[in-house]
Amino acid sequence: MTIIALVRHGQTDWNRDGRIQGRSDIPLNDTGRAQARAAAAALRGGDYGRLVASPLSRAAETADIIGSSLGLGAPTVDARLRERAYGEAEGMQQAEYLERFPGGLAIPGAETDDEVVQRALDVVADLAAESEDPLIAVAHGGLISRLLRHVSDGRYPRAGERIGNGSQQVIEVTGSGIRVVSYIGS
């Protein structure tokens, strides 16, 4: 059994402005750095022995802040923790995105939900296979929400909820599957 705390990176200016980030490498803002410090405080005492992060700067900096605070050092980088590629939707405001691609309409150049879920399942399984030590994985809202929705049979995130910046969702990975241990909705 391996416990994994899935942490969404702190806020960026594009988060604040309601823009689709995807793979665009947008840095944390000051609010995001404060959220990373708050996430570290919330994770203190969790006996975490490993730290891994997406290579995108907003996740990597969040992980650096958490690692420094918890004495875990620099994170290991795993590209599979990157955000969903949103193709032509990257940089759009949420309202424009919903207007141009209503109801899950295929987005040119974007990764499908199934592709994101499979990538998330693969990285979680591999991280759990490396060691049973509890770990922190700093990733992105799209990846975390799709993974949670898949492993919880649609219970999380609840309708209308988003994975909040700096929030921590805890999962348990065993030989028989993945279960949500704790969920913090927005």
Side-chain angles (χ1 to χ4, degrees):
M1 174 192 76
T2 303
I3 296 292
I4 301 176
L6 300 167
V7 178
R8 183 179 180 201
H9 62 79
Q11 184 188 76
T12 68
D13 288 348
W14 279 24
N15 289 138
R16 182 196 62 215
D17 298 342
R19 291 192 178 280
I20 305 294
Q21 291 180 113
R23 299 271 174 92
S24 299
D25 200 8
I26 310 303
L28 291 180
N29 59 25
D30 289 340
T31 299
R33 289 180 190 94
Q35 290 168 331
R37 288 189 295 275
L43 293 164
R44 189 165 281 112
D47 198 30
Y48 296 102
R50 300 183 287 156
L51 177 63
V52 62
S54 157
L56 295 175
S57 62
R58 59 193 182 264
E61 185 178 359
T62 298
D64 284 339
I65 292 167
I66 291 169
S68 291
S69 179
L70 299 181
L72 296 173
T76 301
V77 173
D78 193 315
R80 297 174 296 174
L81 290 171
R82 288 178 300 179
E83 180 58 289
R84 174 186 181 193
Y86 276 92
E88 290 183 14
E90 291 195 20
M92 285 183 183
Q93 294 281 348
Q94 286 284 341
E96 180 185 1
Y97 167 75
L98 294 173
E99 182 179 308
R100 283 196 52 199
F101 305 107
L105 186 66
I107 304 165
E111 223 176 343
T112 68
D113 282 351
D114 288 344
E115 290 168 333
V116 175
V117 167
Q118 190 58 58
R119 181 164 51 87
L121 290 169
D122 290 345
V123 70
V124 164
D126 289 349
L127 291 170
E130 289 173 12
S131 169
E132 290 187 358
D133 291 339
L135 72 109
I136 300 166
V138 181
H140 304 271
L143 180 128
I144 295 169
S145 66
R146 284 167 181 80
L147 175 64
L148 292 179
R149 189 170 296 116
H150 178 79
V151 303
S152 72
D153 293 324
R155 287 190 313 271
Y156 306 114
R158 296 174 193 102
E161 285 184 332
R162 298 174 50 93
I163 302 298
N165 290 103
S167 67
Q168 315 90 50
Q169 318 304 320
V170 179
I171 60 173
E172 177 184 80
V173 183
T174 65
S176 60
I178 301 169
R179 75 176 185 93
V180 177
V181 174
S182 72
Y183 170 78
I184 301 171
S186 60

